[in-house]
Amino acid sequence: GDSVTQMEGPVTLSEEAFLTINCTYTATGYPSLFWYVQYPGEGLQLLLKATKADDKGSNKGFEATYRKETTSFHLEKGSVQVSDSAVYFCALRGTDKLIFGTGTRLQVFP
Amino acid sequence: DGGITQSPKYLFRKEGQNVTLSCEQNLNHDAMYWYRQDPGQGLRLIYYSQIVNDFQKGDIAEGYSVSREKKESFPLTVTSAQKNPTAFYLCASSIREYGNQPQHFGDGTRLSIL
């Protein structure tokens, strides 16, 4: 069945460092892909999405490119801030529901 | 502003007691979902509903029940049959018809056992 695999965390970075969080997927067809962010004690917020191969989603300095050939949707940011500390979830749209990865915790220190 | 409202934010359950978590949305979305999140884990789907008066079991439906009598409301009942109910519960909604539409989430309810 469809599935999403994310790199395990926590990812610990200093402020202004470059961020990559890896996400790969297994699916039939070409599902829409999403990154969600969860701040402590809150629900999930949509960060960005891509609906077809080679699409690049971007928001708040974060980017991810839908790579069909490597079945990947890695999240990147050129310069992280302390306020980016959160848990990040990769997800794909299956039939009638979203399928989530297990989440990657990002900790950014000043 | 449109959104999803979950209540209460914190809830405590006694042994053998049923409790109901509220989820209301004013986004005019057809589909609604309930997830359970445990520490350090991803989201697991409990139940979902694509339309009023219809719902389907997700991956971990045992010990839970839902109803969908109104488009804007999708309450979740955690029954006494759920032996490990302590978790963070998230409700979400989306437009049903298009696969590229994201889900919108509430701020969650944290359930604990007394």
Side-chain angles (χ1 to χ4, degrees):
Chain A
D2 295 352
S3 66
V4 175
T5 302
Q6 286 182 239
M7 61 188 290
E8 286 194 21
V11 174
T12 304
L13 295 173
S14 297
E15 205 164 25
E16 299 183 3
F18 184 86
L19 168 71
T20 299
I21 299 178
N22 290 340
C23 171
T24 58
Y25 66 91
T26 302
T28 53
Y30 303 105
S32 294
L33 301 174
F34 306 87
W35 276 101
Y36 283 84
V37 58
Q38 183 179 35
Y39 297 101
E42 297 183 8
L44 276 67
Q45 300 174 25
L46 177 67
L47 183 58
L48 53 84
K49 70 176 185 180
T51 59
K52 60 183 186 294
D54 300 324
D55 263 3
K56 177 184 282 189
S58 62
N59 185 26
K60 300 180 181 179
F62 290 89
E63 293 182 340
T65 301
Y66 192 139
R67 301 287 189 196
K68 181 181 65 175
E69 61 277 10
T70 54
T71 62
S72 65
F73 192 53
H74 304 322
L75 182 68
E76 296 181 335
K77 187 175 186 183
S79 176
V80 294
Q81 305 300 312
V82 173
S83 57
D84 294 326
S85 298
V87 180
Y88 292 81
F89 291 91
C90 184
L92 69 82
R93 183 66 185 253
T95 304
D96 288 342
K97 60 183 181 180
L98 281 180
I99 297 169
F100 288 89
T102 54
T104 302
R105 181 174 300 279
L106 170 65
Q107 297 174 323
V108 181
F109 293 96
Chain B
D1 287 340
I4 299 177
T5 301
Q6 289 188 241
S7 62
K9 192 170 180 65
Y10 300 96
L11 186 59
F12 298 90
R13 194 191 89 168
K14 296 179 181 178
E15 294 289 339
Q17 185 182 45
N18 293 354
V19 292
T20 297
L21 284 60
S22 170
C23 178
E24 304 278 332
Q25 55 99 358
N26 60 3
L27 299 167
N28 200 33
H29 286 170
D30 289 307
M32 297 186 74
Y33 310 81
W34 274 106
Y35 294 90
R36 171 179 171 139
Q37 186 178 25
D38 293 282
Q41 297 190 30
L43 279 68
R44 292 185 289 171
L45 183 64
I46 304 173
Y47 269 98
Y48 64 104
S49 169
Q50 297 291 314
I51 197 169
V52 174
N53 292 323
D54 188 37
F55 48 82
Q56 288 78 41
K57 293 181 179 180
D59 302 315
I60 55 164
E62 185 174 352
Y64 300 96
S65 66
V66 294
S67 63
R68 187 82 188 278
E69 298 176 0
K70 298 186 297 182
K71 186 176 184 177
E72 59 270 23
S73 179
F74 191 42
L76 173 74
T77 296
V78 184
T79 75
S80 56
Q82 172 49 247
K83 298 307 180 187
N84 184 24
T86 298
F88 191 50
Y89 290 86
L90 288 163
C91 179
S93 71
S94 71
I95 296 172
R96 176 186 177 192
E97 288 81 6
Y98 304 109
N100 61 355
Q101 295 300 316
Q103 290 182 6
H104 299 257
F105 285 81
D107 285 337
T109 293
R110 189 168 298 281
L111 176 62
S112 302
I113 297 298
L114 286 177

